[in-house]
């Protein structure tokens, strides 16, 4: 363990084994958490008091990663996900063994979905001994249907996240803080780079204009949003399925799917066609205009990008999505890491949280939401250290209003401001910060955004 990881564990113990470790992606949150759990278990065993540890992670592949790391600590965990029949009997027997005093300890690793479901909740309610809850990417547990399932009986609680605050959900953020406690240790990306835990990176923003159809739809959706806000006032809690929530998502999708990005991508990938270990993040779903024009069969951005990279540029490429079977995902990551037969991996969200791809050297961000968590996670994916890797390369596609199109000045300004928030964060720690700022200075000046 690195010195900062040891410090994080010490801080957690000083806070009575409660708190959140706010650590950048790639700084070793998993190892830090397992070290904390191991030390707590050893301490309690010295008092003849066994500890049940429950690790909660967002997805099945993360459960598998946690289980693999737990085995390195000499413990075989129970993996609780998918069919209840595959794990329930063993989990129930473990809790019975605690009650009978025959268990020295035990670990259950589960997904958010299985954790919140009644079978596992029932098992945890039966447990009367010491309980430690470790929450990977703990910000997810702030959602109402999950935070209400966090066991109050757990005396020991450890949350892990690079960004524990929930986007536009103060209530969920406060619920997390109330349950786990405050952040007891923080290490941002800047500190991690200085400590050598993450590699340095360069950042290249690529400006892309909306076309005329996209501009017209963007203006139309923005006007509808303004009308709703005029009636109900500004709200940070727009339900995703509410009229306002759907309009906000639609407007974001117009930027994410901007058609000019594919042409810009071609030039950027072509310039790196001899480089391996490249990740390409695409927008989810399909272009909003495909539905407006009655053409839902229009290929998705991911499909178009895959054709561009794999067919047109003849680079070995594959997609990695939620529909990719788990065994195939493992194979894709293995092939990608080998650096011999898979040059580019294309995804939408599946590579956002927890997936370990340390060999990745280049990341193309065709689409990123305004939620800081998403683009911070994506940056973290490509900054992990690997043998022979000293510098990462991030290429970010920034949408700007087209010249000569009829968008209101304030609409244009807010569009650019939303994009520049991400750009400023990325440029701040880049090796070429001054060069990046020079590229964007005319845009900032044009729209009066020199303060962002």
């Amino acid at each position: 363990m690195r010195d900062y990881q040891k410090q994080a564990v010490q801080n957690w113990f000083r806070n009575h084994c409660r708190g959140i470790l706010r650590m950048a992606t790639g700084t070793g949150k998993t190892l830090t958490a397992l070290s904390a759990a191991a030390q707590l278990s050893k301490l309690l065993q010295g008092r003849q008091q066994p500890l049940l540890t429950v690790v909660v992670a967002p997805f099945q592949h993360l459960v598998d990663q946690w289980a693999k790391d737990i085995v390195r600590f000499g413990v075989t965990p129970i993996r609780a996900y998918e069919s209840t029949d595959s794990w329930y009997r063993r989990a129930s027997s473990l809790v019975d063994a605690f009650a009978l005093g025959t268990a020295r300890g035990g670990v259950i690793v589960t997904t958010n979905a299985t954790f919140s479901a009644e079978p596992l909740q029932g098992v945890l309610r039966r447990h009367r001994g010491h309980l430690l809850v470790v929450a990977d990417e703990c910000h997810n547990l702030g959602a109402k249907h999950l935070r209400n399932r966090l066991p109050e009986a757990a005396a020991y609680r450890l949350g892990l996240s690079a960004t524990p605050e929930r986007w536009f959900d103060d209530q969920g953020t406060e619920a997390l803080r109330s349950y786990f406690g405050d952040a007891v240790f923080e290490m941002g990306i800047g500190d991690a780079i200085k400590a050598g835990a993450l590699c340095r990176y360069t950042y290249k923003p690529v400006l892309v204009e909306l076309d005329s159809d996209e501009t017209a739809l963007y203006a139309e959706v923005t006007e509808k949003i303004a009308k709703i806000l005029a009636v109900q006032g500004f709200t940070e809690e727009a339900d995703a399925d509410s009229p306002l929530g759907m309009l906000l998502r639609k407007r974001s999708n117009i930027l994410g799917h901007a058609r000019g990005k594919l042409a810009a991508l071609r030039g950027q990938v072509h310039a790196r066609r001899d480089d391996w270990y490249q990740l390409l993040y695409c927008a989810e779903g399909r272009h909003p205009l495909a539905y407006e024009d009655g053409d839902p069969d229009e290929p998705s951005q991911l499909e178009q990008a895959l054709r561009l990279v794999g067919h047109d540029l003849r680079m070995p490429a594959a997609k990695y999505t939620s529909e990719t079977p788990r065994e195939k995902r493992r194979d894709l990551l293995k092939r990608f890491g080998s650096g011999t037969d898979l040059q580019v991996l294309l995804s939408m969200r599946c590579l956002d949280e927890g997936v370990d791809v340390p060999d990745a050297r280049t990341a193309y961000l065709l689409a990123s939401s305004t939620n800081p968590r998403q683009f911070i996670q994506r940056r973290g994916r490509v900054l992990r250290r690997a043998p022979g890797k000293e510098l990462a390369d991030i290429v970010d596609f920034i949408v700007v209003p087209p010249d000569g199109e009829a968008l209101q000045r304030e609409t244009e300004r807010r569009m650019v401001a939303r994009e520049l928030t991400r750009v400023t964060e990325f440029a701040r720690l880049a090796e070429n910060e001054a060069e990046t700022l020079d590229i964007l200075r005319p845009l900032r000046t044009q729209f009066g955004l020199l303060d962002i």
Side-chain angles (χ1 to χ4, degrees):
M1 290 180 66
R2 294 173 178 266
D3 288 341
Y4 68 81
Q5 292 172 305
K6 296 176 183 178
Q7 186 63 55
V9 174
Q10 291 175 15
N11 291 1
W12 183 67
F13 269 92
R14 290 195 190 105
N15 200 47
H16 311 291
C17 297
R18 290 194 179 189
I20 294 173
L21 304 185
R22 185 187 184 118
M23 298 172 65
T25 299
T27 54
K29 294 190 293 292
T30 300
L31 177 60
T32 306
L34 290 179
S35 178
Q39 291 181 45
L40 176 61
S41 179
K42 184 177 181 180
L43 178 67
L44 292 174
Q45 282 183 12
R47 305 172 186 169
Q48 303 300 309
Q49 298 173 338
L51 173 70
L52 173 61
T53 300
V54 177
V55 178
V56 188
F59 309 112
Q60 292 178 9
H61 64 270
L62 296 184
V63 169
D64 292 338
Q65 286 184 194
W66 272 92
K68 183 178 179 181
D69 288 331
I70 290 168
V71 168
R72 294 168 58 194
F73 279 75
V75 178
T76 302
I78 296 171
R79 304 187 197 195
Y81 58 69
E82 290 185 331
S83 170
T84 304
D85 293 339
S86 67
W87 58 265
Y88 182 82
R89 183 175 298 177
R90 287 181 297 140
S92 185
S93 297
L94 177 61
V95 169
D96 290 340
F98 274 99
L100 294 171
T102 58
R104 296 181 58 200
V107 182
I108 298 173
V109 193
T110 186
T111 60
N112 290 349
T114 299
F115 169 75
S116 64
E118 185 53 34
L120 184 54
Q121 286 288 313
V123 169
L124 296 180
R125 282 196 295 270
R126 286 169 41 209
H127 181 63
R128 293 291 181 267
H130 291 284
L131 176 61
L132 164 64
V133 173
V134 178
D136 189 16
E137 309 295 356
C138 66
H139 48 266
N140 292 297
L141 296 184
K144 188 173 183 180
H145 70 286
L146 292 174
R147 65 180 183 245
N148 293 334
R149 308 299 270 173
L150 291 166
E152 289 297 330
Y156 312 109
R157 306 168 184 180
L158 177 58
L160 311 171
S161 179
T163 50
E165 294 81 15
R166 287 179 58 79
W167 185 241
F168 284 164
D169 183 9
D170 292 342
Q171 189 174 0
T173 299
E174 181 54 37
L176 286 173
R177 187 177 293 113
S178 175
Y179 184 80
F180 289 101
D182 292 328
V184 294
F185 181 81
E186 298 190 24
M187 172 166 271
I189 285 181
D191 292 333
I193 292 174
K194 289 178 182 177
L198 297 178
C199 74
R200 298 172 295 114
Y201 70 96
T202 59
Y203 178 61
K204 182 177 181 60
V206 179
L207 302 184
V208 177
E209 291 187 356
L210 294 177
D211 65 26
S212 57
D213 291 337
E214 291 166 338
T215 302
L217 183 59
Y218 189 92
E220 177 187 326
V221 173
T222 297
E223 185 178 352
K224 291 179 179 178
I225 291 172
K227 288 180 178 178
I228 293 178
L229 293 178
V231 173
Q232 68 180 45
F234 178 74
T235 175
E236 292 186 342
E237 299 180 357
D239 186 86
D241 296 323
S242 68
L244 177 58
M246 289 188 287
L247 285 170
L248 290 170
R249 187 166 61 250
K250 184 175 183 178
R251 184 171 67 178
S252 177
N253 283 339
I254 296 169
L255 301 184
H257 288 269
R259 288 169 173 157
K261 289 182 177 181
L262 271 300
L265 175 67
R266 177 184 290 273
Q268 294 299 320
V269 177
H270 185 268
R272 298 167 177 80
R273 64 188 180 279
D274 295 327
D275 298 341
W276 288 76
Y277 310 114
Q278 302 190 44
L279 299 181
L280 202 163
Y281 287 98
C282 298
E284 297 176 66
R286 299 184 183 277
H287 198 301
L289 280 171
Y291 301 102
E292 294 286 325
D293 299 338
D295 184 18
D297 294 328
E298 176 182 322
S300 67
Q301 186 182 80
L302 187 146
E303 291 166 340
Q304 294 180 65
L306 182 59
R307 179 174 178 80
L308 186 157
V309 175
H311 181 270
D312 298 352
L313 298 178
R314 300 187 180 281
M315 297 167 66
K319 60 181 180 180
Y320 184 103
T321 71
S322 59
E323 297 175 356
T324 307
R326 199 159 70 238
E327 285 300 321
K328 186 174 181 180
R329 290 190 200 183
R330 292 196 190 107
D331 180 61
L332 288 173
L333 293 178
K334 184 177 180 181
R335 290 170 55 201
F336 182 78
S338 71
T340 57
D341 71 337
L342 185 55
Q343 197 170 0
V344 185
L345 205 54
L346 298 89
S347 185
M348 291 181 288
R349 290 183 59 191
C350 277
L351 290 172
D352 281 1
E353 290 186 332
V355 181
D356 195 11
V357 281
D359 294 297
R361 263 74 162 172
T362 302
Y364 304 96
L365 306 183
L366 273 185
S368 285
S369 74
T370 53
N371 185 340
R373 179 176 301 116
Q374 187 184 80
F375 57 74
I376 287 173
Q377 290 279 3
R378 292 180 175 183
R379 175 173 57 177
R381 291 276 79 75
V382 78
L383 298 190
R384 290 175 181 264
R385 300 304 300 263
K389 176 181 174 182
E390 297 297 330
L391 196 67
D393 185 19
I394 299 175
V395 183
D396 195 1
F397 296 82
I398 313 302
V399 180
V400 296
D403 287 334
E405 294 290 341
L407 268 181
Q408 291 184 359
R409 169 72 177 179
E410 189 57 26
T411 299
E412 291 182 336
R413 188 174 187 275
R414 290 180 179 178
M415 176 199 297
V416 174
R418 276 189 286 271
E419 295 283 271
L420 287 182
T421 299
R422 179 178 77 253
V423 174
T424 302
E425 169 60 27
F426 274 54
R428 183 172 61 88
L429 299 173
E431 293 289 292
N432 59 334
E433 179 186 12
E435 176 187 333
T436 298
L437 295 178
D438 284 342
I439 293 173
L440 297 170
R441 186 169 288 110
L443 194 65
R444 294 175 187 273
T445 303
Q446 179 183 351
F447 291 99
L449 296 170
L450 293 171
D451 58 333
I452 294 183

